[in-house]
Every structure is written in structure tokens, then in C-alpha cells.
């Protein structure tokens, strides 16, 4: 057991450090935590005086639990509180030195060390609990809580109920050491698996977001729009499709440069986010075209929103984007019919309405019926 536990922890450390080499910083913190944890369990079997074994092991455990806490804070993007945690760890180690060198008391040493590592993990844990929204994150938080609880229970059982020999030399053969190795052996596996599962889940979510997001505007791209809109079908709730397209966008790129054109698109994305309701699914479909799906919306409400977008664009001062002339757009609007299985037929009608608006002179909103187009009266 004395060799199996640190060997297992070293394997975990190597795995996390490999993942963290080009991945999330939290993986590197997990790797260092398991590496120093392994050192803490190796120290008592090194050919050193008992006092030095104790000091080395406690230093390693304090660093290990500092890194565990840091890994949680990094993973959940919480404030890291670096200076307070380092100061606390140094003060805790100073108290350990007093317990070992000043009193040569094993119970005092274990009490100080256990309370310290419980705080080093428990405080970061308490600050990230409310940030755990996914199942892997909740499992990680739960396992971390079990680790803290195990430390507290172990401290109570062996310091209060069972008792420990005060001699430092008796630690290796004590029931505390045996229980500690068994409990940590089980919990370290659970902790490592929970942390790795949470990291992998977070990385996959990041890759999925990158694949479904337009990097310029931060809106969904076409793939992301399809993924979000698919669960919302069949509609049957008066949903609306709005297709927005900047008028003569090629001339903006030609006259003012592509960088100015990109700023215009990013500005239009901001307009859409500010005007449309929170239920809207907004995407940049490609080029200068944006697609919007809004559930439970009537024709009148859709028309009002479309005109609000049009007016906000035409009234905006685009000179900060390097464009010193009016920027206008057209909006094609269509409703998803109750008998339609999804939004795609309505999308085609909105697309046709958009081109009809272009043909009708631009800077306008056009509503598509199943068999005709209707120009919606402009707002004042």
C-alpha cells in the first residue's frame, strides 16, 4: 500500500500534466496536486529522521491541497485568492514546525495539518459550489466535499475517540496511517476521475461552442442555429423567422476596407442583441446575412421588431467603424405555420421576402405569405 498509493497518484499527475500541456490551466494544477500528494506519502518511507519525514510530508500535503483548491478555482473561473491562500499555507506550516520540533507531538502535528488542508480545499470549494451547473461539475464538487468531510471525520475519530501515540516514530505503524492510506487511495481515484470528467466535459463544450459560434460577432453560426432551433420544432406557437441583410455590403468593403466591414457586422450583431427578446435565437448565417428565430410571436410583433432593427441600423453613427455614410438593411419576415413540422419552410419564405425587399428598393421590411409578399409599413 505504501508504494501503490503514491505510484497511482504519480500516474494521475502525469495524465493531468499531459492534458494541461496545451489544455486548460486547471489540468496543470490537478497534476501538481497529485504529484505533491504522492511526495507526501513517499516521505514517511524515506531513510530520514522521523522529524524530517514529518516536515517533508506536511510541506508536500500543504502544497498539494493548495493546488487542489487552485484547480477548483481555475476550473470554475472563480477568483483565485492567491495571496491569502499562500499566507495561510505558510502560517500553517510554521505551526506544523512548532508541533514537530517544539513539542514533538504527533497528535498536535496531525491536528494542525488536517485542519489546514481541510481549509485549503474547503474554502475554494465553498466559493465554487454555486458555479457547478453541469452534471460532471456537480460530481466534482460532491467528491471534493467528501474529501473535506473525510479529513474532518478522520481527525475526530483518531484524535478524540481512538487516540494516537504522541511519538512521531509511531506514525507509520499507527491505525491512523493505515486508515489514511486506504481512504486517500479510494478518494484519490474518485477525485481524479471526477476532475478528469469535468475537464473533458468543459473542453468538449468549448470545442462545440467554437464550432457553433461565429468568431467575429459571437453569435451562433449556421450550424449552431440548426442545433438550437431543431429542439424547438414543431412550432405551432406563432414563431417568426427574420432574415436580415446589409444593403450593398460589398461597396462598404470596397470603399472602406474589410476591417470596417467587419466592424459594421459586429455592430449589427450588437443591435440585434439589444433589440430582440431573450428568447430569440440569433445567428450570422454567412457574409452579411443574419437569421433570427423568435418563438411565440405574431406578425405585428415581428414587423415591429424588424422595423426597430432597420431604424437602429440606419440611425447609427458608423463613423467609429470607419464608415462615413448611411448603412441600411432589409429584413424578410415569415411566420411558421401551425401545420408545418419545422421552421425550414418559413425560412425559405423569409429568404424570398428578403430578396423581394431588395428588389423593392432596399432599406425596408417585407413579410412573406405562403403565396405573396407584403411590404410592412415603415415606422416613423
Amino acid at each position: 500500500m505504501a508504494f501503490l498509493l503514491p505510484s497511482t497518484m504519480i500516474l494521475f499527475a502525469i495524465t493531468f500534466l499531459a492534458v494541461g500541456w496545451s489544455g486548460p490551466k486547471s489540468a496543470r494544477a490537478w497534476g501538481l496536486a497529485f504529484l505533491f500528494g504522492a511526495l507526501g506519502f513517499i516521505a514517511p518511507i524515506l531513510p530520514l529522521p522521523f522529524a524530517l519525514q514529518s516536515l517533508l510530508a506536511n510541506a508536500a500535503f500543504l502544497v498539494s491541497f493548495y493546488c487542489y483548491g487552485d484547480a477548483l478555482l481555475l476550473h470554475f473561473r472563480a477568483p483565485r485568492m492567491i495571496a491569502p491562500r499562500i499566507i495561510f499555507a505558510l502560517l500553517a506550516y510554521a505551526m506544523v514546525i512548532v508541533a514537530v520540533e517544539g513539542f514533538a507531538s504527533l497528535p498536535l502535528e496531525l491536528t494542525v495539518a488536517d485542519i489546514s488542508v481541510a481549509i485549503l480545499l474547503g474554502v475554494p470549494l465553498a466559493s465554487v459550489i454555486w458555479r457547478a451547473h453541469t452534471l460532471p461539475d456537480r460530481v466534482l464538487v460532491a467528491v471534493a466535499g467528501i474529501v473535506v468531510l473525510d479529513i474532518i471525520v478522520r481527525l475526530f475519530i483518531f484524535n478524540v475517540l481512538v487516540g494516537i501515540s504522541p511519538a512521531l516514530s509511531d506514525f507509520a505503524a499507527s491505525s491512523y496511517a493505515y486508515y489514511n492510506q486506504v481512504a486517500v487511495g479510494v478518494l484519490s481515484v474518485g477525485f481524479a476521475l471526477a476532475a478528469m470528467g469535468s475537464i473533458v466535459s468543459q473542453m468538449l463544450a468549448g470545442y462545440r461552442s467554437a464550432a457553433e459560434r461565429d468568431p467575429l460577432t459571437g453569435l451562433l453560426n449556421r450550424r449552431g442555429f440548426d442545433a438550437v432551433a431543431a429542439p424547438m420544432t414543431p412550432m405551432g406557437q406563432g414563431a417568426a423567422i427574420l432574415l436580415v441583410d446589409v444593403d450593398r455590403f460589398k461597396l462598404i468593403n470596397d470603399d472602406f476596407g474589410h476591417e470596417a466591414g467587419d466592424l459594421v457586422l459586429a455592430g449589427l450583431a450588437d443591435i440585434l442583441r439589444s433589440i430582440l427578446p431573450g428568447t430569440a435565437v440569433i445567428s450570422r448565417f454567412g457574409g452579411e446575412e443574419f437569421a433570427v428565430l423568435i418563438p411565440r410571436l405574431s406578425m405585428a410583433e415581428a414587423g415591429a421588431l424588424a422595423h426597430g432593427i432597420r431604424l437602429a441600423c440606419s440611425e447609427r453613427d458608423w463613423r467609429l467603424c470607419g464608415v462615413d455614410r448611411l448603412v441600411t438593411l432589409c429584413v424578410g419576415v415569415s411566420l411558421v405555420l401551425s401545420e408545418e413540422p419545422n421552421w425550414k419552410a418559413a425560412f425559405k419564405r423569409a429568404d424570398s421576402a428578403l430578396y423581394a425587399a431588395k428588389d423593392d428598393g432596399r432599406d425596408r421590411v417585407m413579410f412573406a405569405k405562403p403565396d405573396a409578399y407584403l411590404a410592412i409599413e415603415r415606422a416613423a
Side-chain angles (χ1 to χ4, degrees):
M1 195 68 175
F3 291 98
L4 179 60
L5 179 56
S7 299
T8 302
M9 297 184 78
I10 288 172
L11 289 176
F12 288 148
I14 293 172
T15 302
F16 278 108
L17 291 173
V19 172
W21 183 263
S22 59
K25 291 181 179 179
S26 62
R28 281 171 267 175
W30 287 114
L32 290 174
F34 281 105
L35 189 62
F36 279 97
L39 176 60
F41 283 102
I42 291 173
I45 60 176
L46 294 177
L48 299 172
F50 294 122
L52 193 54
Q53 287 179 346
S54 297
L55 293 175
L56 178 59
N58 281 290
F61 285 132
L62 287 170
V63 174
S64 175
F65 275 80
Y66 173 89
C67 291
Y68 281 134
D70 207 38
L72 283 175
L73 296 172
L74 284 167
H75 181 79
F76 289 100
R77 297 180 174 86
R80 293 174 66 187
M81 305 174 288
I82 295 175
R85 291 190 299 123
I86 290 178
I87 292 172
F88 174 81
L90 292 174
L91 291 175
Y93 191 60
M95 293 175 65
V96 169
I97 294 174
V98 171
V100 173
E101 296 291 351
F103 294 93
S105 171
L106 181 59
L108 180 59
E109 173 207 342
L110 294 178
T111 299
V112 171
D114 284 347
I115 292 175
S116 299
V117 296
I119 292 173
L120 283 172
L121 179 58
V123 170
L125 174 62
S127 69
V128 303
I129 287 177
W130 63 274
R131 297 172 182 258
H133 302 301
T134 66
L135 180 59
D137 285 349
R138 288 170 182 167
V139 171
L140 174 59
V141 164
V143 174
I146 293 172
V147 171
V148 174
L149 183 61
D150 171 72
I151 295 170
I152 297 171
V153 170
R154 182 173 68 238
L155 178 65
F156 177 77
I157 290 175
F158 288 96
N159 270 24
V160 178
L161 299 181
V162 177
I164 304 174
S165 169
L168 297 176
S169 58
D170 291 338
F171 173 77
S174 68
S175 57
Y176 178 96
Y178 177 77
Y179 175 87
N180 188 36
Q181 288 188 336
V182 172
V184 173
V186 174
L187 290 176
S188 65
V189 172
F191 210 7
L193 293 178
M196 186 59 73
S198 192
I199 287 173
V200 170
S201 175
Q202 191 178 79
M203 291 174 66
L204 290 176
Y207 294 147
R208 183 166 56 251
S209 177
E212 296 179 351
R213 291 279 170 183
D214 171 51
L216 175 63
T217 62
L219 298 176
L220 295 170
N221 58 22
R222 183 164 189 160
R223 177 178 178 177
F225 183 88
D226 288 343
V228 174
M232 302 173 69
T233 57
M235 296 299 186
Q237 298 178 344
I241 297 286
L242 279 64
L243 291 186
V244 182
D245 190 274
V246 181
D247 294 330
R248 297 186 175 90
F249 184 71
K250 183 178 184 302
L251 292 180
I252 295 176
N253 280 334
D254 291 344
D255 294 345
F256 303 102
H258 287 276
E259 183 177 353
D262 288 346
L263 292 175
V264 168
L265 295 177
L268 179 53
D270 291 338
I271 290 173
L272 293 173
R273 277 189 284 255
S274 65
I275 291 178
L276 294 171
T279 55
V281 180
I282 313 171
S283 70
R284 181 188 174 198
F285 241 54
E288 67 274 21
E289 185 175 81
F290 296 77
V292 180
L293 184 149
I294 313 173
R296 296 177 296 279
L297 209 66
S298 67
M299 172 184 169
E301 292 169 330
L305 285 174
H307 273 301
I309 295 167
R310 182 188 64 80
L311 287 172
C313 180
S314 62
E315 293 174 356
R316 183 164 180 156
D317 185 356
W318 295 99
R319 284 177 294 181
L320 291 176
C321 299
V323 178
D324 62 358
R325 68 170 180 238
L326 188 70
V327 176
T328 63
L329 52 80
C330 288
V331 185
V333 184
S334 179
L335 294 184
V336 179
L337 304 179
S338 58
E339 65 271 17
E340 292 177 333
N342 54 48
W343 52 269
K344 294 187 178 180
F347 184 93
K348 291 180 180 179
R349 292 194 297 272
D351 191 48
S352 298
L354 176 64
Y355 282 97
K358 297 282 187 183
D359 293 339
D360 197 39
R362 296 184 172 85
D363 189 22
R364 63 193 61 220
V365 175
M366 190 75 74
F367 182 81
K369 292 185 174 182
D371 56 355
Y373 303 114
L374 174 65
I376 300 177
E377 292 297 325
R378 299 187 183 193

